[in-house]
Amino acid sequence: MYKLPAALALRKVSDDDQAFLDALYASRREDLRQMPMDAAFIAQMVKMQQHVQMEGVRMNYPDAGHWLIEDAGQPAGRVIIDTGSNDVRLLDIAIIPAAQRKGVAKAILLAMQADAQSQGKGVSLAVEQTNFAARGLYLQLGFIACSADALFEQMYWRADATAESETLIDILPASTLANIITKHGQFDATA
């Protein structure tokens, strides 16, 4: 799969991982945990949102790989990657709070980039506008913003897209360009 530092490994998610995945998802939903509701209602809301997210992935990316990230043999996160198009699509990456900002996500992304480069592909993703840490990491690794809406920014990386003078039309595959055309039929490379 991907060449990772010695302590890190990816393995397919199994049914035995569900309790970890539930806790991981809940750790990402501070927005829901801060609602002025009772804890049982909030837990139910978090579970429902997790289900909606996973159903959306299954429906839109049926062949995506769901991988558990292990650090020194312990679960540290999860990554969902779709490789079925002209580019590699990072659908989701989540790292447990105890392993955040320790290079785990960066190592996964660097390995994805190296693998994509070896196949002549780029890497695309969407990041929440308010996820400044993730957005900063993506920018640090050479991703560029393609478009944005009120919630998400679409980003793209390609190894040969380093010259500042290149435009998105020069570096993006046609299928990716088609995906970032706005609802009004206009290409938005400045958002």
Side-chain angles (χ1 to χ4, degrees), residues 125-129 135 139 145-149 151-155 191:
L125 59 87
V127 62
E128 290 180 8
Q129 293 277 13
R135 189 173 180 281
L139 291 170
C146 300
S147 67
D149 61 25
L151 298 175
F152 292 95
E153 184 169 52
Q154 299 296 320
M155 301 186 88

Side-chain angles (χ1 to χ4, degrees), residues 93-168:
I93 186 166
I95 308 298
I96 60 173
Q100 291 175 0
R101 291 170 183 68
K102 294 184 178 177
V104 174
K106 184 176 184 176
I108 300 296
L109 289 162
L110 287 169
M112 285 180 66
Q113 288 174 314
D115 186 66
Q117 182 177 6
S118 74
Q119 298 177 52
K121 292 183 173 186
V123 179
S124 64
L125 59 87
V127 62
E128 290 180 8
Q129 293 277 13
T130 57
N131 191 341
F132 303 113
R135 189 173 180 281
L137 175 61
Y138 301 143
L139 291 170
Q140 176 191 7
L141 295 177
F143 284 82
I144 56 172
C146 300
S147 67
D149 61 25
L151 298 175
F152 292 95
E153 184 169 52
Q154 299 296 320
M155 301 186 88
Y156 189 80
W157 173 89
R158 187 168 163 155
D160 58 0
T162 56
E164 287 183 34
S165 61
E166 288 184 294
T167 66
L168 291 174

Side-chain angles (χ1 to χ4, degrees), residues 7 9 41 45 57 135 156:
F41 177 80
M45 184 69 101
V57 168
R135 189 173 180 281
Y156 189 80

